[in-house]
Amino acid sequence: LQDSELKRAAEHWIAAHTAPIDTLKKAYFKKDNARSREIVVHAIDRIARNDVHQAIAVWKREAARFDFDDNEAGRVKRIIGVAAARQDSSRRLELLDQIPQSFVDNTVEKYRIREAITAHAWELLARWTEHPPVGSTALLRWRYWRARALEAVNRTADARLIFAELARERDYYGFLSADRQNVAYQANDRPIAPSASEIANITSRPG
């Protein structure tokens, strides 16, 4: 019986991969269990790749029929949020904001920063940057745009503190921060002190 159930689940999973909308209408999905919910999540992922708004509609319908746990719901919200950003949906900021923090990864971070900056959604960006980046976003870039967001929402003192710290760095965002503070760039030169033998070694080379 167990093998038969697994075979049936596999057949529906394959069908959901190629024809997700039609597959979710089948009687198999009248039963709420971990396996059927997993297939539903995969089906929504497939739908979202082509039409995020259709995926939203399907998710709304399925969320009313199934008792999705936090992990399953979080995965769907990440799928939809990222798809919305990739497809330039008018709802992309809203949907990116709905992604639970535990599902924020490198991809989500990059889209959040890009979309918030483009839309001047400073309140969102200030909230999204409350914690250090979890992905590959450079920390100085992250902190600079957090400061810009804080400045825009009238948290001027907090913004100036970050700008002042960044302005001490020899870095693109350090220089931008120096401009915001109207202070000189910091080259942070660290001159070397070669020994006499090292100098002799170098000058003895024809090159």
Side-chain angles (χ1 to χ4, degrees):
L1 181 62
Q2 185 68 18
D3 289 344
S4 175
E5 289 178 355
L6 290 174
K7 183 175 182 293
R8 188 164 176 242
E11 290 171 348
H12 282 84
W13 200 311
I14 293 169
H17 188 81
T18 56
I21 295 174
D22 291 338
T23 301
L24 291 181
K25 297 175 183 177
K26 294 184 177 181
Y28 179 85
F29 297 98
K30 290 182 178 179
K31 181 184 290 187
D32 184 351
N33 56 49
R35 196 170 295 123
S36 62
R37 293 196 303 272
E38 184 74 12
I39 298 172
V40 171
V41 171
H42 182 73
I44 292 173
D45 186 11
R46 298 295 295 174
I47 296 167
R49 291 167 187 259
N50 297 314
D51 189 338
V52 67
H53 294 288
Q54 190 169 43
I56 293 169
V58 172
W59 167 237
K60 184 177 181 180
R61 183 190 71 208
E62 300 305 321
R65 296 200 304 142
F66 291 88
D67 186 19
F68 291 98
D69 61 28
D70 290 343
N71 179 65
E72 294 161 343
R75 286 168 56 200
V76 173
K77 289 175 181 178
R78 183 199 173 278
I79 288 166
I80 288 175
V82 170
R86 286 176 174 163
Q87 296 169 30
D88 288 331
S89 164
S90 59
R91 296 181 61 188
R92 57 191 179 276
L93 285 171
E94 167 200 347
L95 296 169
L96 284 169
D97 192 40
Q98 290 177 9
I99 300 173
Q101 183 60 34
S102 57
F103 287 85
V104 174
D105 56 12
N106 186 56
T107 300
V108 173
E109 280 185 343
K110 287 184 176 180
Y111 277 124
R112 278 183 167 184
I113 292 176
R114 187 190 76 179
E115 298 298 341
I117 293 170
T118 301
H120 291 180
W122 302 119
E123 289 187 8
L124 278 177
L125 187 57
R127 180 153 49 79
W128 287 343
T129 55
E130 286 178 353
H131 304 288
V134 299
S136 62
T137 305
L139 185 57
L140 295 182
R141 176 174 182 262
W142 178 270
R143 298 192 69 212
Y144 173 79
W145 285 110
R146 172 163 177 73
R148 287 289 304 273
L150 293 175
E151 185 179 57
V153 297
N154 297 318
R155 291 175 58 182
T156 309
D158 292 334
R160 285 177 178 171
L161 180 62
I162 297 174
F163 284 138
E165 293 173 350
L166 292 179
R168 294 196 287 266
E169 301 289 338
R170 185 175 68 181
D171 176 86
Y172 174 70
Y173 291 100
F175 300 153
L176 288 180
S177 297
D179 288 340
R180 306 294 292 190
Q181 296 285 90
N182 196 28
V183 297
Y185 297 159
Q186 297 297 309
N188 295 330
D189 182 36
R190 298 182 181 86
I192 61 173
S195 66
S197 62
E198 288 173 325
I199 293 174
N201 182 291
I202 292 295
T203 54
S204 67
R205 300 182 183 183

